[in-house]
Amino acid sequence: AVGAPAARVGLRRGRWGGTRVRLARRGGGVGSWAEVDGREAGIGLLRRYLGVNGPAVRNDFQRWLGATPALPAWKALLPEMTAVSVEGRRGWLLADDVEAVGRSAFADEVRLLPFFDHYQLTHVDRAHLVDPEHKAKIYRTAGWVTPSVQVRGRIRGPCGLTAGVGTVTEFSPLVASDAPGLARDGDRRSTFFLHGGEPGVRPRRPL
C-alpha cells in the first residue's frame, strides 16, 4: 500500500527485515547514486530481459516488470527486435541474438530450481516449461512456486526433502543419462535451496 507514495518521495525498499517492510532513501547504503532517465532505463531493462528470456511477447515483459508500463520501452526497442516462431509460438528476440539462438542446443543439462526461481517466472504462458496437466503442481495457489527439476529446458517434477535427502517426484520417468547431471546439480545446490539436506538429489525410483 505504501509502494507508490514512497516512490514519489524517493524511497525504496531497504534491507530485508523479516515481516517488517523497511524503506530507505535512494542511494542509501550503495555508496553513490545516479539518476537515470526513466525511458532509457525501461529500454535497458527490456534489452536485458530479451537477452536472457527471449523469445517473449510484450505481456511477458509486462508481467516480469510489474506495475511500470511496458509499452513505451517495447515501442522504442521494436526496431532492434525480430519476430520468431518456436514450435508454432510467436515471440520476439533482439535481432542481434537470432543467429546465436538458432545455433544453440541443449546437451545433458539438468538444473534444480529453487522456490520462485526466475526461470519459472519470466513468461505469462508456461506451456514451454511444463505440460498443462502438471502446471498446478508447480504453480500453486496464492502465487506459490514449488522447487523443481528442469531437464533440457522443461520442468520434469517438483523436488523437496525426504528424510534429509533431496528427492524428485517425476511427472514422467527420468532416464539413466540424466543421473549424472542430477547428482552434480544436487551436490552444488542442496544446501542452498533444500535448506541443508545431505548432498545429492535422487528420483523417488532408481534410474
Side-chain angles (χ1 to χ4, degrees), residues 31-100:
S32 61
W33 182 273
E35 292 291 338
V36 178
D37 176 75
R39 179 179 180 276
E40 293 302 316
I43 294 170
L45 278 173
L46 176 55
R47 186 177 284 115
R48 287 167 175 78
Y49 169 84
L50 289 175
V52 174
N53 304 303
V57 298
R58 181 167 61 87
N59 284 346
D60 297 325
F61 179 56
Q62 182 66 76
R63 171 72 66 85
W64 180 83
L65 191 61
T68 303
L71 184 58
W74 192 272
K75 285 183 174 180
L77 196 63
L78 199 56
E80 299 181 32
M81 295 156 57
T82 297
V84 298
S85 178
V86 179
E87 298 180 350
R89 301 168 61 84
R90 190 170 184 263
W92 296 82
L93 281 172
L94 294 173
D96 289 345
D97 291 342
V98 171
E99 185 177 346

Side-chain angles (χ1 to χ4, degrees), residues 2 11-25:
V2 300
L11 296 177
R12 297 290 186 269
R13 284 188 179 271
R15 294 181 179 178
W16 172 251
T19 59
R20 295 184 177 183
V21 176
R22 294 181 178 178
L23 299 175
R25 291 189 179 276

Side-chain angles (χ1 to χ4, degrees), residues 14 23 29 61-62 82 138 146 155 158-159 163 168 179 192 205:
L23 299 175
F61 179 56
Q62 182 66 76
T82 297
I138 302 298
T146 302
I155 295 171
C159 56
V168 178
F192 172 65
R205 59 168 191 84

Side-chain angles (χ1 to χ4, degrees), residues 119-200:
Y119 185 80
Q120 300 178 103
L121 299 171
T122 56
H123 293 75
V124 175
D125 186 349
R126 279 78 183 249
H128 65 294
L129 295 177
V130 59
D131 293 333
E133 63 267 29
H134 299 305
K135 181 180 177 182
K137 300 170 187 174
I138 302 298
Y139 299 95
R140 298 181 178 272
T141 56
W144 194 260
V145 182
T146 302
S148 62
V149 61
Q150 171 251 326
V151 180
R152 289 175 286 281
R154 302 235 355 133
I155 295 171
R156 298 292 297 277
C159 56
L161 280 178
T162 299
V165 177
T167 58
V168 178
T169 303
E170 307 147 273
F171 296 150
S172 58
L174 300 176
V175 297
S177 60
D178 296 327
L182 189 64
R184 183 171 56 248
D185 215 48
D187 288 345
R188 189 160 59 93
R189 296 179 183 266
S190 59
T191 56
F192 172 65
F193 80 96
L194 294 173
H195 308 291
E198 295 178 15

